[in-house]
Amino acid sequence: MPIKPVRGGPPIPVDSPADVAVLIEHLARGDREPEWLGDHFAYLAGTRPEWFRPYQEQVVDGLLDRFSVALEDQCQLFAGAPDSCVETLARRLRDRRDFDDASALAAIGTPAALTAVAEDVRNGGDRELYDDSGFWIPPTGPAQPRFSPQRRAVFLELGDFPDADHPVGLPVDRVVADPASSPVVWHYLSLRLAGVPGLPSWPAERAHLVAPAATYEWTMFAGAGADGRYHGEQVVHDGEPDDFTDAPEFGLGRVVLRPYGPDLVYTNLHVHLTPGLVGTAGGPPIGLYPNPSCPSCKRLMFHVLTVTNTVREYGHGPRSLYLCEDCHTVAVTATNWN
Ligand SMILES: [Zn+2]
């Protein structure tokens, strides 16, 4: 069974619309642990989110407070919810700030919902909450999702793959324009951007997740040329530099992208315990940390992927890749395990 609740008892099947009706009954009665239900809803989001559609209004109307579901899964389940849901959430937000209402409103993602998100912020709502979740509020107009709703599970395969779409462990001189002066010392992976539907246009075929000699809590900005190589790298890091030793033969391979589906392991509201999985491409950023804004135009940068340092062991914690399609600028962020 791909659903592995941490607590609350063994899972129940989610193989038909009737099974989803059972989940909603449990949610309405409040007779199961919210996290137990949440793992089932995460599975539903990863497999048949359209089966949730008949319940969008019911959950928004009165069940959100015990709907324990991560934003990335809410974005699947609430996507395209009717304007009645938007009106309900916007009305409640006008009366009272509420994290659950704000998240659900953003997750709906329709023009009406994105307009309501922007109005919430301009009425004094929590801009940071939306920023951290990957929704940018421009000076005028509706909020903009700065991520693709289409998620791909990222799997690591070790070995020699000279023609890999998404290579792991390239020599640094393949990915930066001036290796002698670059702070980049480590290559995690290069992503062929066409492998993730819904990413913005980019001057090069691939973008690179790389690291300076620092273990965590740094951000690196760089420009990208038409050959994909980075230039003008700037590292923001408050900690001590790491005593880095290069290991050019270590951990070489590729990542492979697969759509979400019933073959992932859904536990503790995420899929990270799936064997071989190192992260997710597409979807919103993880939301626990501030997302970078473009140093040039200040727009919230577009989240491309987040993997853990285990993709090619160096440093600690999640590593995320962002880009600004207007300025041809990338950001790589390295947070610690929380
Ligand atoms: Zn920019």
Side-chain angles (χ1 to χ4, degrees):
M1 187 76 184
I3 306 170
K4 296 193 187 307
V6 175
R7 55 178 188 217
I12 59 174
V14 187
D15 297 331
S16 71
D19 292 339
V20 179
V22 171
L23 290 179
I24 297 292
E25 283 167 23
H26 283 305
L27 182 68
R29 286 201 300 263
D31 60 358
R32 303 296 307 235
E33 296 233 19
E35 292 77 14
W36 182 90
L37 279 170
D39 285 331
H40 290 76
F41 285 121
Y43 175 84
L44 184 64
T47 54
R48 300 296 293 266
E50 67 276 15
W51 287 349
F52 186 80
R53 183 169 283 270
Y55 307 103
Q56 288 169 331
E57 283 192 87
Q58 185 185 352
V59 173
V60 161
D61 280 350
L63 303 177
L64 267 190
D65 56 340
R66 53 181 105 118
F67 189 63
S68 182
V69 175
L71 176 72
E72 62 168 306
D73 295 317
Q74 289 194 36
C75 287
Q76 306 297 320
L77 298 174
F78 287 129
D83 288 357
S84 55
C85 291
V86 174
E87 287 154 17
T88 299
L89 292 165
R91 187 174 58 245
R92 290 210 301 251
L93 283 168
R94 278 195 293 273
D95 295 340
R96 179 177 63 99
R97 301 275 156 244
D98 184 273
F99 179 87
D100 295 330
D101 288 344
S103 296
L105 180 61
I108 291 173
T110 56
L114 296 170
T115 297
V117 164
E119 282 170 3
D120 179 37
V121 169
R122 292 180 195 129
N123 289 334
D126 188 350
R127 174 185 293 269
E128 228 170 78
L129 183 157
Y130 295 113
D131 270 3
D132 293 355
S133 305
F135 292 86
W136 186 56
I137 313 331
T140 59
Q144 299 175 8
R146 297 294 286 149
F147 59 88
S148 167
Q150 307 217 41
R151 298 180 294 178
R152 294 290 183 268
V154 180
F155 288 89
L156 174 64
E157 297 180 359
L158 294 176
D160 183 24
F161 302 103
D163 301 319
D165 273 351
H166 317 291
V168 171
L170 292 179
V172 167
D173 62 9
R174 293 268 305 275
V175 296
V176 303
D178 185 1
S181 69
S182 175
V184 172
V185 297
W186 193 249
H187 178 262
Y188 290 109
L189 69 90
S190 294
L191 186 80
R192 188 170 163 265
L193 298 170
V196 184
L199 296 185
S201 65
W202 191 242
E205 190 176 13
R206 292 181 176 80
H208 316 295
L209 191 75
V210 292
T215 50
Y216 55 79
E217 289 176 354
W218 50 264
T219 298
M220 191 193 83
F221 295 99
D227 66 355
R229 284 180 166 85
Y230 291 170
H231 55 81
E233 301 94 318
Q234 296 286 337
V235 178
V236 182
H237 178 234
D238 293 332
E240 295 291 311
D242 185 39
D243 189 13
F244 175 79
T245 309
D246 199 8
E249 305 301 319
F250 172 78
L252 308 187
R254 67 177 176 183
V255 296
V256 174
L257 309 184
R258 296 188 201 140
Y260 274 48
D263 52 335
L264 304 183
V265 176
Y266 297 82
T267 186
N268 204 17
L269 309 182
H270 58 69
V271 295
H272 292 279
L273 295 185
T274 305
L277 185 142
V278 292
T280 299
I286 46 181
L288 299 175
Y289 308 97
N291 295 314
S293 295
C294 174
S296 303
C297 72
K298 311 303 179 199
R299 189 181 186 189
L300 193 72
M301 295 182 81
F302 198 100
H303 175 249
V304 174
L305 103 169
T306 296
V307 297
T308 69
N309 61 283
T310 56
V311 65
R312 185 173 177 236
E313 196 70 59
Y314 175 58
H316 305 288
R319 273 87 182 98
S320 299
L321 175 64
Y322 300 82
L323 47 84
C324 176
E325 65 271 37
D326 297 329
C327 304
H328 298 171
T329 302
V330 300
V332 181
T333 63
T335 46
N336 199 356
W337 296 114
N338 67 328

